[in-house]
Amino acid sequence: GLKSCRRQQLQGRKEEKMPPPAFGRIASDGKRKSGSVQNCDAITVRVEIMQAYKDADLDKSNHIDRHELGEMLKRLEIPLTDPINDLEILYQFLDKDKAGGVSAEEWNAAFEPEIILRCASDGQVKMDVDQLMKDTFAVILEDSRKERSMVIEAFMKAYEKIKPGFGTKFIGSKWRFAIFDTVYNLRDIKEGETPIEHLKSKLQQTLDTELTNENWVELVLLKDMPALDDEASIKRCKSVEDSGKEVQDATVVTEFCKEWLSELVMCESRTASAASK
C-alpha cells in the first residue's frame, strides 16, 4: 500500500541546493501562509521545504535544535499525541549524524522520498507542501510507535519473569523505569543506529558487566549518560537515588536485563514473521 511504500522509501538522500524563494511564507500570526504552499510542482515543493527549514532556524545557526523543531511543528499545526516523546522521535529521525542539530541536508532528505513517491504516480502532480510534511512526519511517528509498543511489551513481560524476587531482591518499580530511561529513552543513539538496535546493545553491555550492590547504579544508570539541562539533571539524580534504594540484590538487575533482551528478540521475530505473511 501507499504507507508501506513510504516506509520503505523514508531513507536519507542528499538534496540539491535550491535558491531561496522570493516571497514570504510566514503570516503575522507566525503561521505559514496557505496560499504560497498549495498546488506546487516538485521544484517549488523543494524550495518551500528549504524555506521552512530557514524559518525554523530561529537563531540562524544553520541547524535546527529540539526547541526550534517543536516551534515549527506548532506553526504547521501538526498534532502530537505524546508531545515530549513524539518530538524526540522526530528529532532523532531527522538528526541522522547525531551531531546535535538537524542540518539542511538532513531536513531536505527526510521529505525527498515522499516527493519522489508522489511524482512517480503522476509526473504533473500538484502538491500541498504542508500536507506533504505532515504525511512524512505521520509515517515516522507511526513506525516509531509500533517499535516503542514492542519494547514496552517486552519490558512488561520481563518483569513478570523476575517478579518472584519482589521483597527479597527488590522493592518498588522505580529502578526498572530508571533502567528503561537509561537504555531506551535518553539521547545517546549513535549515527547509523536505530533505537531498538541501541537498546539491545545497551542491554547486552549490562549483561557483560559484573554488577554488585555497590556499583550497579554507577555502571547501569550513570555510565555514558548524556548531558541534560539543570532541571532534568535534578529529576534524574532523584530518580537514580530512589532506584538505588529499591534494589537489595543487584543480581536482579542482570536477570531483568537478560529477560528483557530475550523477550525483545522474540517480539522482533514475531513481528517479522507476521510482516512476511
Side-chain angles (χ1 to χ4, degrees):
L2 181 60
K3 286 188 176 180
S4 177
C5 291
R6 285 173 179 154
R7 292 190 194 101
Q8 293 173 5
Q9 296 186 43
L10 270 173
Q11 302 296 326
R13 168 176 158 170
K14 291 186 178 180
E15 172 55 35
E16 62 188 69
K17 294 182 179 179
M18 304 302 295
F23 44 91
R25 287 164 180 78
I26 301 298
S28 59
D29 61 1
K31 296 181 180 179
R32 288 166 60 79
K33 296 177 181 179
S34 60
S36 66
V37 294
Q38 295 177 346
N39 299 318
C40 300
D41 59 21
I43 293 176
T44 306
V45 166
R46 292 183 175 107
V47 172
E48 289 284 355
I49 286 175
M50 187 62 216
Q51 183 61 36
Y53 177 86
K54 293 178 179 179
D55 293 338
D57 184 17
L58 300 176
D59 62 3
K60 307 307 175 187
S61 64
N62 296 320
H63 285 86
I64 295 177
D65 60 25
R66 287 176 178 82
H67 171 73
E68 290 171 333
L69 178 60
E71 291 302 306
M72 165 56 72
L73 297 177
K74 290 178 183 177
R75 290 200 295 271
L76 286 171
E77 299 180 322
I78 294 177
L80 301 179
T81 57
D82 184 350
I84 295 177
N85 282 322
D86 285 355
L87 175 59
E88 186 63 24
I89 286 166
L90 294 175
Y91 181 82
Q92 290 289 352
F93 180 90
L94 293 169
D95 183 23
K96 294 293 187 185
D97 64 6
K98 307 307 173 190
V102 180
S103 68
E105 182 177 277
E106 290 171 327
W107 176 263
N108 290 331
F111 302 104
E112 186 63 19
E114 188 70 23
I115 296 173
I116 293 173
L117 182 64
R118 297 188 183 196
C119 289
S121 61
D122 181 358
Q124 303 300 315
V125 67
K126 297 297 182 181
M127 293 173 267
D128 180 320
V129 178
D130 287 2
Q131 190 60 51
L132 182 143
M133 294 174 71
K134 289 179 181 180
D135 290 346
T136 298
F137 288 140
V139 172
I140 296 170
L141 289 172
E142 180 182 354
D143 286 346
S144 182
R145 286 168 184 154
K146 287 181 179 179
E147 177 188 272
R148 187 177 178 83
S149 177
M150 181 171 62
V151 168
I152 292 174
E153 177 186 349
F155 178 83
M156 299 306 292
K157 287 185 176 180
Y159 173 66
E160 292 300 317
K161 296 289 183 65
I162 58 98
K163 190 163 63 173
F166 181 82
T168 57
K169 293 185 175 182
F170 69 94
I171 57 174
S173 59
K174 291 180 180 177
W175 67 277
R176 291 185 298 115
F177 290 103
I179 292 175
F180 184 96
D181 288 342
T182 300
V183 299
Y184 187 64
N185 269 0
L186 293 180
R187 307 167 181 178
D188 58 346
I189 297 173
K190 298 177 177 61
E191 181 177 0
E193 191 177 42
T194 67
I196 203 162
E197 289 171 345
H198 177 73
L199 169 59
K200 291 163 65 177
S201 174
K202 295 286 281 188
L203 290 174
Q204 188 59 55
Q205 287 177 27
T206 302
L207 298 181
D208 294 339
T209 303
E210 186 175 347
L211 301 179
T212 67
N213 289 357
E214 291 73 29
N215 70 13
W216 85 267
V217 170
E218 180 179 355
L219 296 181
V220 177
L221 300 184
L222 297 178
K223 184 180 179 182
D224 301 325
M225 188 179 73
L228 301 171
D229 59 37
D230 291 342
E231 182 179 355
S233 293
I234 292 172
K235 291 180 180 179
R236 176 69 174 164
C237 289
K238 177 61 176 174
S239 174
V240 168
E241 181 182 355
D242 291 343
S243 298
K245 295 176 182 178
E246 288 186 346
V247 173
Q248 300 165 325
D249 182 349
T251 61
V252 74
V253 176
T254 301
E255 292 170 6
F256 176 71
C257 291
K258 180 180 179 180
E259 295 296 345
W260 190 7
L261 179 57
S262 176
E263 290 291 341
L264 188 58
V265 171
M266 286 191 285
C267 283
E268 282 187 299
S269 178
R270 288 195 296 270
T271 300
S273 177
S276 65
K277 292 181 180 178

